[in-house]
Amino acid sequence: MEMTGLTIGELHELLESRAISTTELTQGFLDRIEAVDPDIRAFITVTKKEALSQAKTVDEKLARGEKLGVLEGIPMALKDNLCTDGIRTTCSSKILENFIPPYNAAVAEKLNDSGAILLGKLNMDEFAMGSSTENSGFFATRNPWDLERVPGGSSGGSVASVAADQAVYSLGSDTGGSIRQPAAFCGVVGLKPTYGVVSRYGLIAYASSLDQIGPVTKTVRDNALVLNAIAGHDPKDSTSVPFEKPDYTQFLTEDIRGLRIGVPKEYFGQGMDPHVEEVIREALRTYESLGAIVEECSLPHTEYAMPAYYLIATAEASSNLARYDGVRYGHRAESAEDVIGMFCKTRAEGFGSEVKRRIMLGTYALSAGYYDAYYLKAQKVRTLIVQDFQQAFDKFDVLLSPTAPTPAFRIGEKSGDPLTMYLSDVCTVPINLAGIPALSIPAGFVDGLPVGMQLMGKHFAEGILYKTAYAYEKNTAFHTRKPSLSKGGAR
């Protein structure tokens, strides 16, 4: 039985019916990782011993005739910027190469309490800074649809592992599109929740006012199931929002008649691949056939989102990454003449070029004489972007756009030009600045490569996004196609 391609719900039924054991299921995924990860390179650490031990515990519960929770016994994996007690957590950086946290991130603890099986930790752009996972301090992850192409980033390992059936689901983090853009590139479902819906406790910070943890899954239903487990207020996170958490699966109905969908014209501008645009236009026609009302709208300050984002994010990164100095934990340089020399040498050796670039940009933006001109002005632009979305949601239930302006690009194609690389996130960064939820789902293909469609909602409207996405998923078959796991697999 080919178990690794099944969904959470399908595997839950097999476990409950005793058709398979949790140990058999877990071993099946470990075998899959061993078989395909030398090509995909999604995993930094595989936790085989711990996974089989967790599986044995679930099997003992089954043997006692007890019912399982929906995520209990289901194998998953975590992005390597989520702290895991006793398990190496590197942030894909040499400076944390041997760091072993003494505690779990809140989301890791919640999944552990739900009985999920942790298969390992996943590759990413170093400190989540990048759009291709080529900025990992260890190795680049490859796109399962074409091994010569990037999986996107920074959560490239999280997304590639799900697309390649190495995990049933995973968690990533999204600062400017780092879940949604790779989800689009690899043809899976990725959610960036409302800021504050999921606790950031134990997430190694990049930009604290933008970072948010979210699920990566094969289907919309699976995504809702995982969000049910990880969402909720956490007193350990000062930015966590107390709210009444719904059962997100209750929104999964196909009836979207009368749903008002806005299409921001600014998201279809220069740099948009015309084939990607046609895929999205066809998706809009599908929604109209299902009874939705589709109209063009405007988010007039969109053009300023990218510069505002790269000022705010780099400024916060400059502050957050100041803690890596070789004193408390992480890499420490040898042979330094004095303390200042040790600081400088440690950071020079430990950080990669993209992290250094963003630290320098952020430090400059915060420096005396430039704070008002850059950082403060970027925050004012952020307020205008929030207001744009608020005005749009006065008229529309959901906004719809491409997730990324192009399909996955070739490894090395953009790594020499940071500005071109940054534009990969042009459709996703405004959402993080506004703190609203957004969901990327498979919408079609261009030359054999997946294209993602981004659905945006007002704060705490994840349920409406799931409803909108579920209706599309049930009336198309794009999410059922499987990648080739070969070089030149897409044509």
Side-chain angles (χ1 to χ4, degrees):
M1 182 187 297
E2 187 57 61
M3 299 176 291
T4 57
L6 300 180
T7 65
I8 292 172
E10 290 166 340
L11 291 171
H12 177 69
E13 288 182 11
L14 290 175
L15 290 172
E16 283 276 81
S17 67
R18 314 297 196 272
I20 56 172
S21 71
T22 313
T23 299
E24 289 171 334
L25 178 60
T26 302
Q27 188 61 56
F29 275 94
L30 292 169
D31 292 344
R32 175 73 174 175
I33 293 167
E34 187 175 351
V36 306
D37 206 55
D39 291 326
I40 303 297
R41 308 208 77 184
F43 282 82
I44 290 177
T45 302
V46 177
T47 54
K48 180 177 181 178
K49 180 180 177 181
E50 294 86 347
L52 290 173
S53 175
Q54 290 174 309
K56 182 181 177 183
T57 300
V58 177
D59 281 338
E60 289 170 352
K61 184 173 180 178
L62 281 169
R64 294 192 298 269
E66 298 179 34
K67 287 282 188 182
L68 297 184
V70 70
L71 296 184
E72 203 159 2
I74 305 296
M76 59 85 185
L78 299 174
K79 188 174 180 179
D80 208 24
N81 59 351
L82 294 166
C83 287
T84 41
D85 187 3
I87 298 171
R88 189 170 70 127
T89 302
T90 70
C91 244
S92 288
S93 178
K94 295 290 186 184
I95 210 161
L96 288 177
E97 187 170 8
N98 297 308
F99 174 58
I100 298 177
Y103 68 100
N104 277 324
V107 290
E109 193 69 27
K110 285 188 174 186
L111 291 177
N112 188 52
D113 290 345
S114 73
I117 309 295
L118 177 61
L119 295 169
K121 307 297 291 293
L122 297 161
N123 197 26
M124 54 185 282
D125 285 298
E126 184 181 5
F127 282 99
M129 299 182 190
S131 304
S132 66
T133 317
E134 293 172 285
N135 291 332
S136 169
F138 306 126
F139 47 79
T141 299
R142 298 176 181 273
N143 192 317
W145 291 89
D146 183 345
L147 298 179
E148 295 176 342
R149 296 179 185 267
V150 303
S154 64
S155 303
S158 297
V159 169
S161 65
V162 174
D165 293 337
Q166 295 174 281
V168 184
Y169 67 94
S170 68
L171 295 187
S173 66
D174 192 311
T175 307
S178 291
I179 290 172
R180 291 160 287 149
Q181 182 250 29
F185 280 7
C186 292
V188 295
V189 180
L191 175 74
K192 198 286 295 183
T194 301
Y195 185 79
V197 160
V198 178
S199 172
R200 293 186 301 108
Y201 178 76
L203 169 68
I204 297 174
Y206 161 23
S208 302
S209 76
L210 301 165
D211 297 339
Q212 185 60 200
I213 300 162
V216 177
T217 58
K218 295 180 174 71
T219 67
V220 175
R221 179 175 290 278
D222 278 6
N223 209 276
L225 289 170
V226 179
L227 188 62
N228 275 346
I230 64 173
H233 179 246
D234 179 10
K236 293 180 180 177
D237 175 8
S238 63
T239 62
S240 176
V241 180
F243 71 105
E244 191 173 334
K245 184 179 76 173
D247 174 2
Y248 292 104
T249 62
Q250 71 181 359
F251 295 96
L252 303 180
T253 64
E254 295 184 51
D255 185 4
I256 58 166
R257 287 173 294 181
L259 184 80
R260 299 167 298 167
I261 299 176
V263 184
K265 61 183 181 181
E266 291 82 5
Y267 285 60
F268 294 84
Q270 187 177 3
M272 179 63 59
D273 184 320
H275 300 294
V276 169
E277 180 171 349
E278 180 50 38
V279 167
I280 301 304
R281 298 292 181 191
E282 181 59 34
L284 288 169
R285 288 189 282 271
T286 299
Y287 274 119
E288 287 180 316
S289 72
L290 295 173
I293 301 165
V294 176
E295 293 180 18
E296 186 178 80
C297 67
S298 178
L299 299 171
H301 295 96
T302 298
E303 65 177 301
Y304 306 112
M306 189 66 74
Y309 169 83
Y310 274 101
L311 283 166
I312 294 168
T314 57
E316 293 183 9
S318 169
S319 175
N320 279 325
L321 272 63
R323 70 194 67 175
Y324 304 109
D325 53 15
V327 175
R328 288 164 283 251
Y329 56 89
H331 172 71
R332 177 185 290 189
E334 298 178 358
S335 306
E337 293 183 1
D338 53 28
V339 172
I340 300 300
M342 188 268 287
F343 291 165
C344 295
K345 195 173 181 183
T346 292
R347 291 166 70 83
E349 292 175 357
F351 290 137
S353 58
E354 182 62 28
V355 174
K356 291 175 183 174
R357 179 183 294 115
R358 298 196 191 195
I359 289 173
M360 288 190 291
L361 281 169
T363 303
Y364 181 81
L366 292 174
S367 59
Y370 294 100
Y371 179 92
D372 288 352
Y374 294 113
Y375 183 75
L376 185 60
K377 186 171 286 187
Q379 291 287 21
K380 291 178 179 178
V381 170
R382 183 179 195 171
T383 299
L384 294 174
I385 291 168
V386 171
Q387 291 172 352
D388 282 351
F389 279 110
Q390 288 173 340
Q391 290 169 11
F393 289 125
D394 286 341
K395 183 176 181 182
F396 299 103
D397 301 305
V398 172
L399 302 181
L400 188 153
S401 77
T403 307
T406 67
F409 46 88
R410 294 188 180 276
I411 292 172
E413 182 179 331
K414 299 184 179 183
S415 55
D417 186 350
L419 292 180
T420 302
M421 183 74 80
Y422 294 168
L423 291 174
S424 299
D425 298 327
V426 68
C427 297
T428 53
V429 295
I431 284 78
N432 296 78
L433 290 170
I436 61 174
L439 180 70
S440 180
I441 62 171
F445 291 83
V446 170
D447 296 330
L449 292 169
V451 172
M453 173 170 65
Q454 178 175 236
L455 301 171
M456 298 160 268
K458 62 184 177 182
H459 293 103
F460 306 103
E462 284 83 357
I464 300 297
L465 299 186
Y466 282 141
K467 179 178 181 176
T468 309
Y470 185 76
Y472 185 80
E473 185 180 83
K474 284 298 178 182
N475 286 275
T476 58
F478 302 121
H479 66 287
T480 64
R481 287 179 57 174
K482 292 292 183 182
S484 62
L485 276 69
S486 63
K487 289 184 178 180
R491 287 289 181 262

